[in-house]
Amino acid sequence: MGQETMRRFLLLYATQRGQAKAIAEEISEKAGANGFFADLHCLSESDKYDLKTETDPLVVVISTTGTGDPPDTAVKFVKKIRDKTLPPDFFSHLRYGLLGLGDSEYTYFCNGGKIIDKRLQELGAQHFYKTGHADDCVGLELVVEPWIDGLWAALNKQFMSSEGKADMTSNVSTASDVSLQTGQNKPETLSIDSQIALLKLDDAGRKISETSTPNITNVQSRTLIEDFEPSLTQSIPPLSQSTLNIPVLPPEYLDVQFQEPLGQEQCQVPFTSVDTVFQVPISKAIRLTKENAIKTTLLLELDISNTTFSYQPGDSFNIVCPNDASEVRELLQRLQLAEKREHSIILKIKENNKKKGAAIPQHIPESVSLQFLLTWCLEIRAIPKKAFLRALVEYTTDSTEKRRLQELCSKQGASDYNHFIRDSYVSLLDLLHAFPSCKPPLSLLLEHLPKLRARPYSCASSCLVHPGKLHFAFNIVEFLSNVEPVTLRKGICTGWLALMVDPVLQGDGNISQGNIGEAGLPKISIFPHTTNSFRLPNDPSVPIIMIGPGTGVAPFIGFLQHREKIQEQHPDGNFGAMWLFFGCRYKDRDYLFREDLSHFLKNGILTQLKVSFSRDIPVDGEDTPPKYVQDNIRLYAQQVTRILLQEKGYIYVCGDAKGMAKDVNDALVEILSKEAGVEKLEAMKMLATLREEKRYLQDIWS
């Protein structure tokens, strides 16, 4: 069936880390087998589509980033459709289906998709298919797979309807509705608990018709396996004895050629999507924690005086970092390409390939060495997606290993995939260790490994106090690999930074030519974050509450430095109260910025400092002190409520998303409900209003 005879639909995606793009590409690949042609574009490619004149069905796949924001590639689109001058029937001709991606551990689950979904309906667009909200906390595929399976029937009905063969419908019921959050209950009003409950469905809860998935291969189990504990490399009944439904084999499309090294190559990855990357020296490194602390926290100072880089307290910036050198070396050896590490890589698109819109990935620059490619361009620690596992099957010779990889990418093996790969943060290198007969070509890695992302950090200083300097703080992330041989790994960026400054940490922390050697001051590449809203109020008389345990306190040091300088410049000014809730494990081990905070409190810059220590043992005879920041917030419920509701103050939360931020949000709902005398749902609406007014701001990470 030719493209011109197929029924076309417009398929748009917006992605931050590549998930939404991969899912959109999967929909596009499956469209042909179901009699459709997907006109695939990124939302940012506004010159490739026009929703105002679009007559075919629209399908949108969109992720959520930050604290509930649309991804960067959707920012311009959202701004455009939020234009208040647009009439309510602007998109009345549009019929669409939307799949939102998110993580229910974050407060504003799937908010990127919800923002667009809500606005499209406000402008008159109607659903032809129910909205899906996929949760990375429990596994995106629990919603994604049935949503895609049901899409074809919904599209078919929409085309029949538009041709006058059926009544117009805005909702299509499918076999996968059980896992989709839509209908009469607007998703915005569902509690996080409800959203998680709707998504935590096992395979038995998803009635998926095998006949609705034509791109499926049946694989019979060849062996009966005795009872043992399941692991990455082995399964137990019933999975080990099941007939498997595995994904269609992704088409290969890259041809890789090696060229003898010609000379010196570039020393830094070009960022095509970023206007300016600044190379700046590290001018100071200080250890903030004691030797016996559980985590090591460092404060680094960057010298930005010779650049045009500028920032405000609370802003974030990105650091360009390389993969771990030992892991790159190990991967080269495992691929049997160590001898070609200095060879240049030449990429071409394979002739007669079956991948729709095949193109060389934008994050792979031209004519760089293999070593450079694996070090600076590819996220070699990325958790392999099921499509990658399916592709690896074809390059695995051992039948037992082959079967296990098939299980891990199958629908029947979804639980094992989540447990042994996704939740265990297994990397490609881990897989190659676990399945020694798997020997993929380099081209397969380039097709499936995503771009190595720059890592974001919060500014921990004010340029009024430290002109030409930028401070930031971080924990050195350390963890054990989950696959034999078990090795100690460090965070890609934090481990690299710690290694660079290690020579000076034993001294006074100041880096100079003398203690660094002939190579000069160590330099790193940074670029500003595209959007920054985590900033002090424009009106300094507005009171603020800051909540930042651990390294979450870093941006608030910048806030306090800034406020101190402003108050020095305007001694008669009207300045609002500044509350800080800080927490750590031990008072004498990891109380970060202790002297700074004491100084701000003594000078009256900081109105109240409430600190909690989660691991310190209480003194006999005394009341049990609060362990966590949320416990302290509850103790001062009356004051917090007054600042937020009566005094129109701001509240800032910085730190861990999956634990602290959610617990703080729950505590705020609880105290607002109690102090304002309203139901829990009303208190949640109060917080939502604060967020809409940009008075409840989060800078959180997982």
Side-chain angles (χ1 to χ4, degrees), residues 217-237:
T217 305
N218 287 330
V219 180
Q220 294 288 344
S221 173
R222 299 182 183 85
T223 56
L224 292 176
I225 304 174
E226 296 177 2
D227 288 341
F228 48 66
E229 286 296 313
S231 68
L232 175 64
T233 56
Q234 58 189 19
S235 61
I236 61 173

Side-chain angles (χ1 to χ4, degrees), residues 254-257 265-272 320 343-348 360-379 442 446 449-452:
L254 286 181
D255 180 59
V256 178
Q257 296 177 1
E265 65 175 319
Q266 66 218 77
C267 62
Q268 191 57 66
V269 179
F271 275 77
T272 54
V320 181
H343 284 57
S344 294
I345 300 297
I346 308 298
L347 290 184
K348 294 181 180 178
I360 295 173
Q362 292 182 351
H363 56 274
I364 300 180
E366 293 182 13
S367 303
V368 294
S369 72
L370 175 57
Q371 174 95 28
F372 183 86
L373 190 64
L374 295 180
T375 301
W376 291 99
C377 305
L378 302 176
E379 190 92 48
L442 178 63
L446 304 187
L449 288 176
K451 173 184 176 179
L452 178 58

Side-chain angles (χ1 to χ4, degrees), residues 169-276:
T169 177
S170 60
N171 282 313
V172 178
S173 298
T174 71
S176 61
D177 282 354
V178 66
S179 61
L180 304 181
Q181 301 173 22
T182 50
Q184 297 304 312
N185 294 321
K186 293 183 179 179
E188 290 82 355
T189 63
L190 289 176
S191 69
I192 294 299
D193 293 339
S194 301
Q195 291 166 347
I196 295 173
L198 280 169
L199 294 177
K200 286 183 177 174
L201 301 172
D202 57 20
D203 286 343
R206 295 185 286 123
K207 300 178 181 177
I208 305 169
S209 169
E210 293 186 14
T211 58
S212 68
T213 54
N215 294 330
I216 292 294
T217 305
N218 287 330
V219 180
Q220 294 288 344
S221 173
R222 299 182 183 85
T223 56
L224 292 176
I225 304 174
E226 296 177 2
D227 288 341
F228 48 66
E229 286 296 313
S231 68
L232 175 64
T233 56
Q234 58 189 19
S235 61
I236 61 173
L239 178 59
S240 61
Q241 300 169 4
S242 297
T243 298
L244 303 176
N245 299 100
I246 65 174
V248 65
L249 181 65
E252 296 184 16
Y253 63 95
L254 286 181
D255 180 59
V256 178
Q257 296 177 1
F258 294 93
Q259 191 175 75
E260 292 283 348
L262 299 175
Q264 192 68 30
E265 65 175 319
Q266 66 218 77
C267 62
Q268 191 57 66
V269 179
F271 275 77
T272 54
S273 60
V274 177
D275 293 332
T276 310

Side-chain angles (χ1 to χ4, degrees), residues 50-112:
D50 185 359
L51 294 189
K52 179 57 182 167
T53 59
E54 184 59 59
T55 57
D56 290 330
L58 167 67
V59 175
V60 181
V61 183
I62 180 170
S63 61
T64 297
T65 188
T67 56
D69 301 315
D72 293 344
T73 51
V75 170
K76 287 184 179 178
F77 175 82
V78 170
K79 186 177 180 181
K80 190 174 180 180
I81 64 173
R82 275 182 162 171
D83 183 348
K84 293 182 179 180
T85 64
L86 295 177
D89 62 348
F90 189 73
F91 285 143
S92 60
H93 58 288
L94 268 187
R95 300 295 178 266
Y96 75 100
L98 185 142
L99 176 61
L101 313 182
D103 187 331
S104 59
E105 291 283 6
Y106 287 75
T107 307
Y108 297 97
F109 172 63
C110 276
N111 204 52

Side-chain angles (χ1 to χ4, degrees), residues 477-490:
V477 177
E478 293 183 324
F479 60 96
L480 293 174
S481 63
N482 287 293
V483 176
E484 296 290 344
V486 176
T487 56
L488 178 68
R489 289 180 180 164
K490 293 187 177 181

Side-chain angles (χ1 to χ4, degrees), residues 11-13 19-29 38 40 61:
L11 176 56
L12 301 178
Y13 68 87
Q19 292 268 47
K21 181 182 180 183
I23 291 168
E25 287 177 341
E26 180 184 350
I27 293 172
S28 179
E29 294 288 345
L40 177 64
V61 183

